[in-house]
Amino acid sequence: MKYVLKRLLQAIPILWVIYTITFLMVVTVPGNPFQQADRQIPEGIQRALEARYEIDNNWRYYWQFLAGAVRLDFGPSFQYRDWTNSQIIADALPVSLTLGLSAMTLAIVFGVPAGVLSAVRRNSWLDMGTLVLVLIGVSLPTFVTGTVLLLAFAMSLSWLPVGGWGRLDQIVLPALTLSLPFMAYITRLTRLGMLDVLGSDYIRTAKAKGIGRQRVIWKHALKNAFLPVLSFLGPAFAQAMTGSFVVEKLFNVPGLGQHFVNSVLNLDRGLIMATVMVYSALLVGMNLLVDVLYSTVDPRVRLSE
Amino acid sequence: MTDAVGNITLYEEPALPARGSRAWQRFRRHRLAMGSALFLGLLLFTLLATLPWTSTRYDAQTLELNRHPPTLAHPAGFDTLGRDLLVRCLFGGVISFSVGLGAAGLSVTVGVLWGAIAALAGGRIDNAMMRLVDILYGLPYILLVILMKVAFEQPLTYLIGDRQIASIVILFIAIGSVSWLTMARVIRGQVLSLRETAFVEAARAAGAGSGTILVRHLLPNLVGPIVVYATLTVPQAILQESFLSFLGIGVAPPVPTWGSLAAEGVAAINTVTSFWWILFFPSLFLGVTLLALNFVGDGLRDAFDPRTAN
């Protein structure tokens, strides 16, 4: 408990540094949403607009945005009138979280058993099959695998919808696409871990004691082989949620990733910083969660530092 | 020969006789990695040999031939603007590799220097430097790449004077500057243990300074992890470039990369007629190359660290 509190306190300066880095980069970009080449605004109005959105003074903006961010108020949106950035995030974040969570669930549910089985039956057709899956997941960008899945399941077979969001069947394809690289990694890590563990003494002891083969594999061995997977899961969860903009764009899912890419292209600095802060907070939180989980799975790890 | 193999032959030099040649022998026994290295060598040779030809022709249009399916003379067909896809794939490969190698080079340089300096300095400096690495680890790095690309492209264009080159350079700078963290951690760990060995102590006793020790005595012993991580960073960088291309913030058109070609292929897919070759050939080049690079990386890791080989 004390450890969790300490880590949460440490997160504050981390987030502050991230905010500052982001701010500096955003300020470096020349221009803002109110300066557009195709629609010249008189200079007076331009200045009034900048004053209205309080971006005429960088130093003041820095502190003002920070003060707002602490209260989860990220200011008014520059792009969408009558929306605040907090409303946009509240709208889009659940979508990205749902997508990321379902993708990671798929990755674990298929990846871990695949890794275990391919380690137990080394060099069998099952091992080769999972190898092919792993290779595809590692070597093709998600927009290519996603397109292939679209062609197969949505266009040729018409089993699933092409895109959109809101119904249950609309989650399947994007979640599957997003999960492939993670599934590949988890399979590989589990397989390596299992191969390592299966040769160790305590497994031989467990077998010698007469414990059933399945029990040895799935309980005794997997518990230790899962540790490297667990430490991969923290960053992976965060990546699945932040790295989903490609999948979101391909399947037209109204998630936060789309907003981030658009905000960068539109130089909408309020939304850029808001999304970066939300993503970073997610990442920091996920890493903390994994560290805590790690100590409950592996009692040898003490959380005191 | 290839970069990977070319690097390996370096260790056959007398500087590192026993360990280097053992690693080389182990690598040669790794069939898949060896085959991949050969394939990469051939591929790079083809890409570079055809470069004088492809670099002038990658943008040549024949409008009547747009979306023309593959023929014997043009085995990869034509893209949506009537450009020979094979020529574009070959030239795009050069650009993709430049981004990958540039990013890997940058990330290795920064990572090695950062990790080694932190370990050699020790104490408070080491603490502060590694703390910063921890913080950066917590950053959503793809967002950073996108931000950096957009933020620094204009100043760099102004500096270099060429929009195309600037957009390639900023790509590998952006990707490279977020991917050195693991490298720094690994190198720091290695240097920390090497620092305590007898031969470093002997060098120090003989009056060698920190810089000399780092360059003459530590770096040769760090070659293993450096080569492994560099080879694994190249495919990562190429993959990230493809994501940026798909989002429309990659290398400025009309210069192709495998990523942007594949992204054009995705855009060409529709329900009525599928122009499969526009997606298939770039994806094939991209996928097979990334696979080969990953195999070589894995093979090198097994060769340098026999503990992980099974």
Side-chain angles (χ1 to χ4, degrees), chain B residues 4-310:
Chain B
V5 178
N7 270 334
I8 294 202
T9 43
L10 270 181
Y11 320 128
E12 287 184 321
E13 283 168 19
L16 249 182
R19 197 176 160 214
S21 52
R22 252 204 322 255
W24 171 232
Q25 277 167 11
R26 275 197 296 266
F27 182 73
R28 274 212 316 218
R29 266 205 305 269
H30 206 298
R31 280 229 192 99
L32 206 53
M34 206 44 208
S36 302
L38 275 176
F39 165 78
L40 285 175
L42 273 174
L43 180 72
L44 271 181
F45 176 76
T46 318
L47 291 180
L48 291 178
T50 53
L51 186 61
W53 185 64
T54 53
S55 61
T56 53
R57 223 157 294 206
Y58 69 91
D59 202 23
Q61 274 179 292
T62 320
L63 278 178
E64 312 80 77
L65 288 176
N66 79 59
R67 300 195 190 110
H68 195 280
T71 58
L72 269 181
H74 304 278
F78 289 83
D79 73 354
T80 33
L81 295 174
R83 297 174 291 196
D84 189 322
L85 203 57
L86 186 64
V87 175
R88 284 182 72 71
C89 280
L90 290 174
F91 187 62
V94 177
I95 308 292
S96 280
F97 263 107
S98 323
V99 171
L101 291 174
L106 185 69
S107 99
V108 163
T109 315
V110 177
V112 169
L113 283 179
W114 196 273
I117 289 175
L120 285 180
R124 205 174 271 170
I125 301 176
D126 177 30
N127 222 330
M129 284 175 89
M130 292 327 279
R131 195 77 222 162
L132 189 71
V133 170
D134 289 344
I135 291 180
L136 291 178
Y137 242 98
L139 273 174
Y141 67 99
I142 299 189
L143 308 196
L144 262 191
V145 172
I146 294 177
L147 262 181
M148 281 180 75
K149 167 94 168 84
V150 176
F152 301 129
E153 186 157 12
Q154 267 176 328
L156 199 72
T157 309
Y158 184 72
L159 212 69
I160 296 181
D162 186 308
R163 202 168 69 93
Q164 304 285 0
I165 297 175
S167 78
I168 297 171
V169 172
I170 190 65
L171 256 183
F172 77 69
I173 291 182
I175 297 174
S177 54
V178 296
S179 53
W180 55 271
L181 301 171
T182 315
M183 188 82 235
R185 278 187 177 173
V186 172
I187 293 297
R188 175 175 170 272
Q190 295 274 329
V191 171
L192 276 182
S193 63
L194 282 174
R195 206 176 56 162
E196 307 302 327
T197 51
F199 75 91
V200 173
E201 211 174 316
R204 188 160 286 139
S210 283
T212 324
I213 291 182
L214 176 60
V215 175
R216 293 286 306 271
H217 303 286
L218 294 181
L219 271 187
N221 283 292
L222 295 172
V223 162
I226 292 176
V227 171
V228 171
Y229 274 88
T231 357
L232 291 173
T233 306
V234 177
Q236 281 302 319
I238 294 179
L239 205 56
Q240 272 167 27
E241 185 279 322
S242 81
F243 289 141
L244 294 189
S245 288
F246 178 72
L247 298 172
I249 31 186
V251 173
V255 171
T257 64
W258 284 337
S260 69
L261 290 170
E264 282 169 24
V266 169
I269 295 289
N270 62 55
T271 37
V272 187
T273 20
S274 81
F275 306 103
W276 58 269
W277 59 93
I278 304 182
L279 174 62
F280 176 76
F281 288 103
S283 307
L284 186 72
F285 273 103
L286 183 66
V288 173
T289 305
L290 291 188
L291 259 191
L293 281 167
N294 276 312
F295 281 143
V296 171
D298 284 350
L300 284 173
R301 181 161 44 200
D302 291 351
F304 280 110
D305 184 7
R307 209 169 38 87
T308 61
N310 35 65

Side-chain angles (χ1 to χ4, degrees), chain A residues 35-103:
Chain A
Q35 299 168 339
Q36 280 166 1
D38 53 338
R39 201 184 51 169
Q40 292 288 337
I41 315 176
E43 203 185 318
I45 298 178
Q46 171 103 24
R47 272 212 302 275
L49 266 174
E50 284 173 10
R52 159 85 180 73
Y53 286 96
E54 290 154 345
I55 54 172
D56 45 350
N57 181 329
N58 282 336
W59 185 239
R60 208 177 66 212
Y61 185 70
Y62 175 83
W63 291 111
Q64 210 148 27
F65 193 88
L66 190 62
V70 174
R71 287 174 280 121
L72 293 181
D73 170 16
F74 298 107
S77 167
F78 295 178
Q79 281 290 309
Y80 309 97
R81 207 148 291 166
D82 297 335
W83 281 77
T84 65
N85 289 327
S86 310
Q87 281 173 322
I88 294 177
I89 287 173
D91 224 37
L93 185 62
V95 176
S96 287
L97 287 183
T98 315
L99 183 58
L101 272 177
S102 7

